[in-house]
Amino acid sequence: MNHEILKANISDIPELCEMMKDFYAIDLYPFDEKVATANFVKFLDNDSYGNCFKVVFEGRIAGYIILVKYFSFEFGGEILFLDELFIKPEFQGKSLGKKALEFVKDYSVENNFKIVLLEIENHNEKAKKLYEHYGFQNHKRSLMILKN
């Protein structure tokens, strides 16, 4: 299989936004292209936030990964949050999700992150099984949100 996982750059933003729009549509999340574009510019320009990677298959962008860095006393220091992982439907079934998770795991070890966290939609059993296969476990807590 001819795939690469490369750091995304500013010129990738239009395609990243298009994929993000498709990803958000799955669960009917709101998507604002102007906001997403501005956020990508800010995020890609500042490694202290984390990194965005593009999944490339046979020379075409097939998906993306967003990894966010943060600090947790509870978990012993710097941790990595797998904020988004998306593979375009036409590229699914080519083990790119598995390759992306292997990349995330290797990246976290190589960069000394204590743990990797992610959130998942409760209805997404296919993704849950994939994550569990790579060692992710349910945590005893639930996320809560306060919007400003």
Side-chain angles (χ1 to χ4, degrees):
M1 178 172 46
N2 185 12
H3 85 281
E4 298 177 280
I5 298 177
L6 306 169
K7 195 168 179 183
N9 56 58
I10 297 294
S11 66
D12 296 319
I13 291 175
E15 194 160 0
L16 291 168
C17 282
E18 191 62 35
M19 288 186 289
M20 184 177 276
K21 180 180 176 183
D22 293 343
F23 186 34
Y24 286 22
I26 294 168
D27 289 304
L28 305 176
Y29 290 158
F31 178 78
D32 183 320
E33 188 168 354
K34 287 177 101 172
V35 170
T37 298
N39 283 339
F40 270 122
V41 169
K42 186 175 183 178
F43 189 79
L44 294 175
D45 194 41
N46 190 336
D47 283 342
S48 69
Y49 292 140
N51 293 106
C52 179
F53 298 92
K54 55 189 175 185
V55 180
V56 179
F57 182 76
E58 296 180 351
R60 296 172 47 209
I61 298 179
Y64 71 96
I65 305 164
I66 297 177
L67 300 174
V68 177
K69 302 173 186 179
Y70 73 98
F71 195 92
S72 170
F73 283 88
E74 176 183 354
F75 293 113
E78 288 185 319
I79 64 174
L80 198 58
F81 185 74
L82 174 52
D83 190 41
E84 297 191 11
L85 168 55
F86 177 74
I87 304 296
K88 293 179 183 178
E90 64 266 31
F91 292 99
Q92 292 175 7
K94 300 182 185 309
S95 297
L96 295 175
K98 292 176 184 176
K99 297 294 184 187
L101 286 176
E102 289 169 9
F103 172 84
V104 170
K105 190 171 184 177
D106 292 344
Y107 179 90
S108 70
V109 170
E110 290 166 11
N111 291 282
N112 299 312
F113 289 99
K114 304 299 181 194
I115 64 165
V116 179
L117 294 175
L118 61 81
E119 63 181 334
I120 185 169
E121 293 293 333
N122 291 324
H123 65 83
N124 196 342
E125 287 297 320
K126 184 178 174 185
K128 184 177 179 183
K129 286 182 194 298
L130 178 64
Y131 293 136
E132 287 173 343
H133 177 77
Y134 281 90
F136 286 89
Q137 303 169 1
N138 282 322
H139 196 276
K140 61 185 174 188
R141 297 193 192 120
S142 297
L143 289 173
M144 297 179 72
I145 187 169
L146 172 65
K147 291 186 177 184
N148 293 330

